Amino acid sequence: MTKLILWLSVAWIPAMMAWMLINETKFKKNIVIGATLPKEAREDTKVQKICSDFRKQQILTAAVLTLIALAAVLLPWEHTWTAFMIWTLAAVCMPYIPYIFSHEKMMRLKEDRGWIQQSRVIRVSTSSLPPAERLNPLLFVICTILSLAPVFFDREMWPVYVCFAAMCPFFWFSCRYLYRHKAEMVDENMELTKALSAVRTYHWSKLWAISTICCPLYSLCCLISSHYALIGILLVLAVTAVLCVFAFRMEMKLRSIQEKLTKDSGSDWYADEDDRWIFGFLYYNPDDTRTIINSRVGMNSTVNMATVPGKVIMVITALLFVSLPFLGIMLDGVSRQEIVITNTEEAVKADAGWTHYTIDQDDIVSVTLMEKLPDNFRRRVGTGLENLCKGSFVSDETGRVTVLLDPTVSPFLLIETDEGKKYLLGSRDPALTEKIYTELSD
């Protein structure tokens, strides 16, 4: 069940990315697949051919990635995380391979057709732009408080609730910073510049609002999962689905508006910054002191790699992506690590990797051999894989219990101390578990 949920939760991503990248073949702000072209290029047969081939390549890439994700459900659990991380890296990078090749074809065609636009300096006063409607700070305050509220009912999960609460002021800061962005100029039509700038900030602020509202909902889902694990997971997936659908809808709606507003642009002079965009989507402009800037189309943001902070962000991002396969290998190693249970005259010890539990013999008041896990057994804090459970768990039968076991290998030792603390332990060798139970019983 865990594998199925894991892969189904991401199997839709290639289709979404393909949809967004295929949308790049529609002229918005005179840009198609990252290349700025005049209005006459929209009817050019070679431009249309490049766009048509690009759409087919994106559909094929998305189909292959989706089929791989669905087939990966059949993989043994011990290889799941490695496959998942490699697939995630491929899902992010592969769609941009045809994008880069198509963009380079478009740029060569642009040069052959003589569509290189002459540079021109036009100053736009941002003070003349219509002020965007700013979100009420009370929204972020209320959501912060609501995100922290579950702490009063479940103090063991307080780091999770604090993280969700901290995201609310972060969203507020990001929303405020949004209004410092410069105008989005397409040509000499200042009214068009004002409209494009205003509509982008409006849609982006709505996205921050819905993201902030989701924070207390995620906290509530985590609280529910502490009592009903499956329901909690399904609710998290539902909230995430709503947030993703809303964000995707806002992105595509804004792109549609940008397309309509600029459908008549490109006949005369128009802004052409292709020399500042590597492959059409990586911004590098030493003359721009900003680190965070608007993406070329839609409502997303990117970084200026010519600035020092921009370089740092891109290097960190690249390292994170490159490390994904190694992270998967590490996680699979954790799930397969040996569980060692030893019984001495002084204590019972359970070890697995960096996890170590020690129970003094003098503190043990009862030992029970369980042939199966207790009913409604669910993770609180720790690891809850299909073949490794460790950390703090809870069940209707045992209440809160400290766990270190492989749930696929029974039996399990339930040990209770004189302080009322409970441990549920299990070796991957059933004979060893039974042997220690016999020794403790004697």
Side-chain angles (χ1 to χ4, degrees):
M1 176 62 74
T2 305
K3 279 197 301 181
L4 183 62
I5 293 175
L6 179 69
W7 285 106
L8 289 181
S9 66
V10 296
W12 54 272
I13 293 178
M16 183 196 70
M17 289 195 64
W19 192 347
M20 291 185 64
L21 288 174
I22 287 174
N23 183 262
E24 297 277 343
T25 60
K26 297 181 179 180
F27 277 79
K28 293 172 286 293
K29 301 162 70 173
N30 302 317
I31 301 172
V32 59
I33 315 184
T36 307
L37 304 178
K39 189 176 181 179
E40 62 181 276
R42 304 179 190 189
E43 305 300 327
D44 188 275
T45 55
K46 287 192 175 181
V47 171
Q48 294 176 352
K49 178 66 165 56
I50 294 173
C51 291
S52 176
D53 292 343
F54 176 71
R55 287 190 288 266
K56 294 176 184 177
Q57 292 162 0
Q58 286 299 324
I59 292 173
L60 178 61
T61 301
V64 171
L65 287 169
T66 303
L67 289 175
I68 292 175
L70 296 177
V73 176
L74 303 177
L75 283 174
W77 180 256
E78 55 265 25
H79 303 301
T80 294
W81 284 112
T82 301
F84 181 80
M85 293 302 178
I86 293 175
W87 182 90
T88 301
L89 181 61
V92 172
C93 298
M94 282 184 61
Y96 281 95
I97 296 176
Y99 183 96
I100 291 172
F101 280 104
S102 299
H103 170 77
E104 292 301 308
K105 288 181 181 178
M106 202 71 77
M107 293 299 292
R108 287 195 295 269
L109 180 63
K110 175 181 179 178
E111 185 176 357
D112 293 341
R113 292 283 196 271
W115 288 335
I116 306 297
Q117 186 63 257
Q118 296 297 320
S119 299
R120 186 183 300 184
V121 177
I122 296 180
R123 301 189 183 278
V124 180
S125 175
T126 55
S127 61
S128 65
L129 298 178
E133 182 181 354
R134 299 189 177 185
L135 297 176
N136 192 332
L138 188 60
L139 168 68
F140 301 92
V141 174
I142 293 175
C143 288
T144 301
I145 295 173
L146 292 178
S147 298
L148 284 173
V151 172
F152 295 100
F153 306 96
D154 179 18
R155 295 189 177 182
E156 192 171 359
M157 293 283 287
W158 70 265
V160 176
Y161 305 131
V162 169
C163 286
F164 286 128
M167 291 174 68
C168 297
F170 172 76
F171 289 154
W172 171 84
F173 172 79
S174 301
C175 191
R176 293 282 296 183
Y177 182 75
L178 167 69
Y179 300 115
R180 295 171 53 195
H181 282 186
K182 296 181 181 179
E184 298 189 26
M185 186 178 66
V186 175
D187 52 31
E188 295 177 295
N189 185 344
M190 290 299 103
E191 293 302 317
L192 176 60
T193 299
K194 294 177 182 179
L196 288 171
S197 301
V199 74
R200 187 184 190 281
T201 55
Y202 171 74
H203 284 79
W204 196 221
S205 62
K206 288 183 67 175
L207 179 62
W208 288 124
I210 189 66
S211 299
T212 303
I213 293 172
C214 285
C215 288
L217 295 179
Y218 277 122
S219 288
L220 178 61
C221 292
C222 290
L223 179 62
I224 293 174
S225 67
S226 65
H227 299 282
Y228 308 98
L230 182 59
I231 295 177
I233 293 174
L234 294 177
L235 287 175
V236 168
L237 293 177
V239 173
T240 303
V242 170
L243 179 59
C244 290
V245 169
F246 182 86
F248 185 77
R249 179 176 176 273
M250 296 300 298
E251 172 72 16
M252 301 310 291
K253 182 179 179 181
L254 178 57
R255 290 185 176 209
S256 177
I257 294 174
Q258 291 172 338
E259 180 183 355
K260 292 176 181 177
L261 289 176
T262 59
K263 63 183 178 64
D264 296 324
S265 178
S267 298
D268 299 317
W269 182 87
Y270 53 90
D272 184 351
E273 294 184 319
D274 286 352
D275 59 328
R276 303 298 189 184
W277 293 85
I278 303 172
F279 301 133
F281 62 90
L282 298 174
Y283 188 64
Y284 186 91
N285 186 358
D287 299 326
D288 192 343
T289 58
R290 296 173 299 165
T291 297
I292 306 296
I293 58 102
N294 296 343
S295 294
R296 306 189 78 179
V297 297
M299 62 179 176
N300 201 1
S301 296
T302 186
V303 299
N304 182 5
M305 295 192 301
T307 65
V308 174
K311 288 183 174 68
V312 172
I313 292 173
M314 290 303 296
V315 168
I316 292 175
T317 302
L319 290 176
L320 288 175
F321 278 119
V322 171
S323 67
L324 286 178
F326 301 99
L327 178 61
I329 294 173
M330 184 189 73
L331 290 174
D332 280 334
V334 169
S335 68
R336 296 192 300 267
Q337 62 189 195
E338 185 180 6
I339 302 175
V340 180
I341 303 177
T342 56
N343 180 36
T344 66
E345 293 182 0
E346 293 79 20
V348 175
K349 296 181 180 181
D351 304 281
W354 293 342
T355 303
H356 307 282
Y357 298 137
T358 301
I359 313 169
D360 291 338
Q361 291 280 5
D362 294 338
D363 296 338
I364 298 176
V365 295
S366 69
V367 182
T368 306
L369 188 67
M370 305 184 68
E371 293 298 331
K372 65 176 184 177
L373 292 175
D375 295 333
N376 198 16
F377 185 68
R378 54 200 185 274
R379 175 172 57 93
R380 299 278 292 162
V381 180
T383 302
L385 303 177
E386 286 193 1
N387 57 350
L388 179 65
C389 293
K390 61 180 180 178
S392 177
F393 283 65
V394 67
S395 72
D396 297 339
E397 181 178 348
T398 63
R400 292 190 179 183
V401 58
T402 300
V403 171
L404 180 56
L405 53 83
D406 181 342
T408 65
V409 181
S410 61
F412 313 106
L413 288 174
L414 178 62
I415 302 175
E416 184 174 0
T417 67
D418 52 10
E419 295 179 350
K421 191 170 184 178
K422 297 177 182 179
Y423 295 84
L424 189 60
L425 310 176
S427 168
R428 287 195 165 103
D429 181 1
L432 175 61
T433 304
E434 292 178 357
K435 176 176 177 293
I436 293 178
Y437 169 71
T438 302
E439 293 175 354
L440 291 175
S441 298
D442 292 341

